Amino acid sequence: MGYQLGLILILIVVAILISKKFTKKDSDNDQLIYEDEMSTEELNDIDKELD
């Protein structure tokens, strides 16, 4: 019983570590877009989505 729980915990830890590596790669590509660089249409669309 303890052996099985240990294996499950190890698998969970490995899965979490792998998922963190994938999320780091995705977040590195994120870029900020400032309000000054957006067109009025884009700003209006965002306003409509927030309301």
Side-chain angles (χ1 to χ4, degrees):
M1 183 76 173
Y3 175 73
Q4 291 173 342
L5 289 175
L7 285 176
I8 292 171
L9 290 175
I10 290 171
L11 289 173
I12 291 172
V13 170
V14 170
I16 291 172
L17 292 175
I18 291 172
S19 68
K20 284 186 179 182
K21 287 185 180 182
F22 284 122
T23 56
K24 284 183 182 178
K25 290 181 183 176
D26 291 341
S27 64
D28 290 342
N29 294 332
D30 292 342
Q31 294 181 349
L32 296 176
I33 299 174
Y34 295 101
E35 188 175 341
D36 297 340
E37 298 172 352
M38 299 177 84
S39 69
T40 55
E41 291 177 11
E42 290 174 321
L43 291 172
N44 289 335
D45 289 341
I46 292 173
D47 287 339
K48 289 178 185 176
E49 288 178 13
L50 293 176
D51 288 336

